[in-house]
Each structure stands twice: as structure tokens, then as C-alpha cells.
Amino acid sequence: MTFNDLGLSAELLRAVSDQGYSQPTPIQAKAIPAVLDGGDILAGAQTGTGKTAGFTLPLLQRLNSRQPARGKRPVRALVLTPTRELAAQVHDSVKAYGKHLPLRSSVIFGGVSIRPQINTLRNGIDILVATPGRLLDHVGQKTLDLSQVEILVLDEADRMLDMGFIHDIRKVLALLPKERQNLLFSATFSNEIKQLADSLLKTPTLIEVARRNTAAEQVSQVAHPVDKNRKRELLSFLIGSNNWQQVLVFTRTKHGANRLAMQLGKDGLSATAIHGNKSQGARTKALADFKRGAVRVLVATDIAARGLDIDQLPHVVNYELPNVPEDYVHRIGRTGRAGNQGEALSLVSADEQKLLRDIERLLKREVTKQLIAGYEPSASGTPEAIAGDRQKPAGAKTNNRRRDNRSTIRSSRNRKPGGSNSRSGHPRSGGKANAGQSAPTAR
Ligand code: AMP
């Protein structure tokens, strides 16, 4: 299957080829013809599957095939996203795929001045990407008319509901014409999502590319049992000794994200935090610095990281496990994107054992437990204790069921001081973790 088989116009095929894509992803292969047909769709797809192009390309084609006569352009396609970052990213895609078409688009979200947005809207645009809150602000100020919307996209609908946007979404729906095409994308299908889909969609085409509630197949997952108070040291060690250059680290709280970014900085690792308390400018800058490699570690909270699209992100670390198991799936979905191999590590302390078991229940599989020599936890945090009822014989170091040819990292205590690995970043070696040395063992 190639993009040429999907019924897209020459301008869109050119834009796709400009992006360097040669083959549609599974969701694109299914969604593009379905959207071009004009029907509603309900798609189960995580970030990383190529879903954005899956709805953007056919949406552009449909709008372009029926240009409004003349005068001010009404908004004809509305894409709602849960976060500012995702809105900005979706808009980047709209611009990239629509660059050979005469359509106008814009993005609006909160946290930045509303004035320039008002001016843009006044000039008329065809496609609007927005977060729900700021969208309703514009409606309230009568700077936006949604009565001509032909296509509605709800992107990451499950996230929007998690973030409490259901009332805002209902308000927006009430402003739209009854006759329209609806595209709903969600990584998970809770009862709430099903209810929303039932009330919104007319005989939708169902598209599912990842099994329900399963983590991206190409992400290898491992949990390192460790005492809580040694997590930061272990993280610095892993980054330094493996020479990781781009790592996304998740913490549970904003304060925790700030503190960890600062501590990593002291360990010699350039790090920055991204969370909801930071201004939009600071968040955009942090993400840009991370993307271009100026910052090695991005420490994020769940909400801030939603929808982050960072190409080929190789490593995601759960510094703390999330309280909600579905968030784990979203977190590790940041790696292993679009066919690339990814690795998700979790630093698991004794008090997080139940959270890990909940995650394994959701994934319907065990996550490999792997001790790191020199960071073995005190008795209650051992893999055996973490495995709970799946007791291992005394002395068993790891659960090898899904082990993927990687060897346990040996402690630098076993290496000669001053040797080639003396600046490995192991905290007990006293070295900084920022040097670009090779890993102590193959990983
Ligand atoms: P998304 O799931 O929409 O966030 O897309 C995930 C990533 O896949 C983005 O970085 C896209 O640029 C990339 N991507 C989308 N479609 C393709 C494709 N057909 N081939 C390769 N990469 C793609």
C-alpha cells in the first residue's frame, strides 16, 4: 500500500513526500479513505501511530474540494485537542501537509495573549486547531463563529475527558451545525468515551490500530527496583553510563519535576522541567531546547507531556510510576514512535509495588524486573517483593521471562578507579554524569 492508493490529490501527495514519508501507517491507510468518504469515524490510536496525518490529509482534501464562494472565510474544520502543545503540533502538521493548498489555518490556546488570535480570526481561516477553554473564551467575546463548521475532530478525546473538558466539549458541540462530519480519536475506550461517541457519531467507521489499552509493541519495558532515596543517583548513573543524549523523564508532581531537573543539573546533566505552572513561552522553549539537543533531559509531568511529539525519542524514564495505569501507556507511547525502537524504564520503589501490579494488569503482561548492581534496594523493594504473589526463589536476580538480551549493568565499583570508565557517572565514583563515555555493558 502506498499513499498513491488512498485517493489523495497531487498537492497532498507532494506534501507527504516532502515530509519524507514513503508508506502510510496502518491508521493512515484506514482513516484516509474513510474520511474522504465523508462519514464519521471512531479511531482507537495512540500518539505515535501517525494519526495526525490520518485525519489532517483527508480533511484538507475535503475542504479544498469545496472552497467557499467569496468574502470572509468561515471556520469549516475545527480540531480540538487537550493541551496547548498538542494543539501547536497538530497545527504544524496542518501547515506542513497543506503547504501546496490555498487554505488558511490557525491555532488558539490559552496562556498567551488573546489579541493576535482575535486579529487572525477576524481575517478568516478555514481550519482552526484549539484547546477547549480558549475556544470558548473567543465564542464568549464573539470573536469566533462556529456555525459553518463542516468537520469536527476530537483528538486525544480520552485525555480531554480526563482533564475535565467534557462540559466545555458539550458547549462547543452545541455551537456547531447539526450536519457535519465527526472524527473522534482516543487511545483508550472508557465508558465515558463510549457515551460521548454514541451521542456524537453517526454510524461511524471503527478503526483500531493498537489493541485496546496495550502499550506500543515496539517499546521494550523494564522496571528497576530501587530505594526511593536513591532514585536520583540511579537516574544520573543510567543516563551517564549509557550516554543517553535525549531522555524524557516523568515525575508525578510539578514540584518534583523542578527539583529533579535542578538535581540532575548539579550532576552535570543538562535538564529542564516542563509542567503546567510554567508559562507557555517557557514550555515552548523547554521543548524546543530538548528537541534540538541543547538539553539532554526533559523532566515532565503527565499533563504537560500529553501529545508531545518528539521524533525518534529513544528513552522514556518513569522516575515515579503514575497513579493511573493508563497514564503509563501514554507515557511510554512517547518512545518507539512510527516504527522506531524505544525503551521505557521505570524506577520502582517499594511503595510503588501496587502501582506496578496495576499497570501489569492493564498491559496483561509482566514488566521485566532488573536489578542494577550497586543500587539493589533494601529487602522490601527487591524484585521478589515487587513481584508480590509471583514469588521467586531466593537469590533470583531478575524476572527473565521477557528479557531481551541485555545484561545487567555492573557497578562501577567493580572497575578500576581512574580507568577508562572512571567518569562513568556512577555516583560512587564521584564523577559527573555528563561525559560521553560508553556504557559499562551493552545495552
Ligand atoms: P502522530 O501519531 O500523528 O503524533 O505521528 C507520530 C510521528 O510519526 C510524527 O513524528 C510523524 O511525523 C510521523 N509520521 C506520520 N506519518 C508517517 C509515515 N507515513 N511514515 C513515517 N512517519 C510518519
Side-chain angles (χ1 to χ4, degrees):
M1 164 88 63
T2 69
F3 277 103
N4 294 327
D5 305 323
L6 298 177
L8 293 170
S9 67
E11 294 89 344
L12 289 167
L13 290 174
R14 192 139 60 92
V16 165
S17 128
D18 292 346
Q19 291 292 305
Y21 305 156
S22 49
Q23 263 202 325
T25 64
I27 187 140
Q28 290 162 2
K30 289 179 187 159
I32 292 172
V35 179
L36 288 178
D37 264 357
D40 287 0
I41 67 170
L42 174 60
Q46 300 171 14
T47 303
T49 52
K51 65 183 168 67
T52 316
F55 65 77
T56 307
L57 288 166
L59 177 154
L60 288 164
Q61 176 144 329
R62 280 182 67 74
L63 294 185
N64 195 51
S65 65
R66 281 187 298 145
Q67 291 272 4
R70 42 179 68 200
K72 188 185 147 181
R73 287 155 183 249
V75 174
R76 291 186 293 143
L78 174 65
V79 184
L80 285 184
T81 74
T83 63
R84 303 158 184 182
E85 280 79 11
L86 184 60
Q89 284 170 191
V90 169
H91 185 233
D92 286 345
S93 296
V94 170
K95 283 190 293 188
Y97 302 133
K99 69 184 192 185
H100 303 301
L101 297 176
L103 295 169
R104 284 200 234 151
S105 63
S106 188
V107 60
I108 59 177
F109 46 69
V112 295
S113 164
I114 198 165
R115 266 279 129 216
Q117 296 177 351
I118 292 174
N119 291 338
T120 309
L121 292 175
R122 195 177 290 138
N123 290 335
I125 51 163
D126 303 284
I127 304 144
L128 181 61
V129 185
T131 52
R134 180 55 70 91
L135 185 82
L136 288 170
D137 288 347
H138 281 281
V139 172
Q141 296 196 23
K142 302 213 176 346
T143 48
L144 174 64
D145 172 17
L146 295 175
S147 67
Q148 307 291 312
V149 169
E150 296 165 15
I151 307 176
L152 169 73
V153 183
L154 296 184
D155 195 11
E156 302 207 355
D158 49 346
R159 299 280 114 202
M160 287 201 264
L161 298 192
D162 287 352
M163 292 168 75
F165 284 140
I166 186 67
H167 298 299
D168 285 353
I169 291 174
R170 297 248 177 243
K171 279 187 210 157
V172 173
L173 294 180
L175 299 164
L176 305 179
K178 290 229 160 14
E179 274 306 308
R180 57 169 197 266
Q181 185 176 17
N182 300 293
L183 317 177
L184 192 152
F185 288 78
S186 181
T188 53
F189 287 116
S190 62
N191 288 337
E192 264 183 303
I193 286 287
K194 284 189 203 130
Q195 270 170 16
L196 179 66
D198 283 348
S199 65
L200 184 72
L201 306 173
K202 279 193 211 122
T203 53
T205 305
L206 300 177
I207 300 173
E208 198 158 17
V209 291
R211 264 174 289 131
R212 194 182 148 183
N213 291 348
T214 54
E217 294 286 309
Q218 64 269 42
V219 178
S220 80
Q221 300 168 57
V222 66
H224 297 308
V226 61
D227 284 338
K228 205 184 189 75
N229 61 1
R230 299 205 60 212
K231 281 191 178 186
R232 205 264 305 139
E233 279 178 74
L234 175 57
L235 178 62
S236 291
F237 170 61
L238 289 171
I239 296 171
S241 61
N242 291 297
N243 194 23
W244 291 339
Q245 295 302 323
Q246 205 182 32
V247 196
L248 178 62
V249 178
F250 284 95
T251 60
R252 230 180 273 154
T253 64
K254 299 166 190 171
H255 180 63
N258 278 341
R259 197 177 42 209
L260 181 61
M262 209 178 64
Q263 288 168 334
L264 291 173
K266 285 187 185 154
D267 286 347
L269 296 165
S270 55
T272 186
I274 184 166
H275 55 66
N277 278 4
K278 293 209 161 185
S279 70
Q280 185 54 40
R283 286 159 70 168
T284 308
K285 181 175 183 311
L287 184 60
D289 286 348
F290 183 63
K291 279 190 175 183
R292 70 186 163 87
V295 163
R296 204 164 156 187
V297 189
L298 185 65
V299 189
T301 56
D302 288 290
I303 292 195
R306 261 157 213 173
L308 285 187
D309 175 18
I310 303 158
D311 273 342
Q312 309 202 336
L313 184 60
H315 308 286
V316 166
V317 177
N318 295 301
Y319 187 76
E320 289 150 338
L321 288 179
N323 288 326
V324 183
E326 279 81 4
D327 279 344
Y328 175 89
V329 178
H330 284 282
R331 287 178 175 191
I332 73 166
R334 310 295 125 197
T335 181
R337 299 163 68 75
N340 297 308
Q341 264 292 329
E343 183 175 52
L345 307 184
S346 302
L347 309 188
V348 183
S349 51
D351 58 309
E352 294 174 307
Q353 294 170 17
K354 181 176 176 310
L355 295 176
L356 184 59
R357 281 199 293 273
D358 289 346
I359 288 165
E360 291 178 324
R361 205 166 298 135
L362 177 75
L363 297 174
K364 296 196 175 58
R365 74 187 214 200
E366 270 180 56
V367 174
T368 306
K369 320 291 179 309
Q370 192 178 50
L371 287 175
I372 304 290
Y375 292 91
E376 297 87 347
S378 49
S380 61
T382 58
E384 294 73 42
I386 287 178
D389 46 2
R390 299 182 298 272
Q391 281 294 332
K392 296 281 172 304
K397 274 211 156 182
T398 61
N399 167 5
N400 282 332
R401 182 113 67 98
R402 287 186 50 86
R403 233 170 117 177
D404 43 7
N405 294 333
R406 69 174 77 179
S407 32
T408 305
I409 296 178
R410 279 185 303 270
S411 162
S412 64
R413 275 183 296 177
N414 299 335
R415 294 189 298 270
K416 274 191 243 127
S420 60
N421 276 314
S422 63
R423 296 186 70 228
S424 67
H426 192 288
R428 287 181 183 158
S429 70
K432 295 273 184 187
N434 60 343
Q437 331 76 352
S438 56
T441 58
R443 275 177 64 89

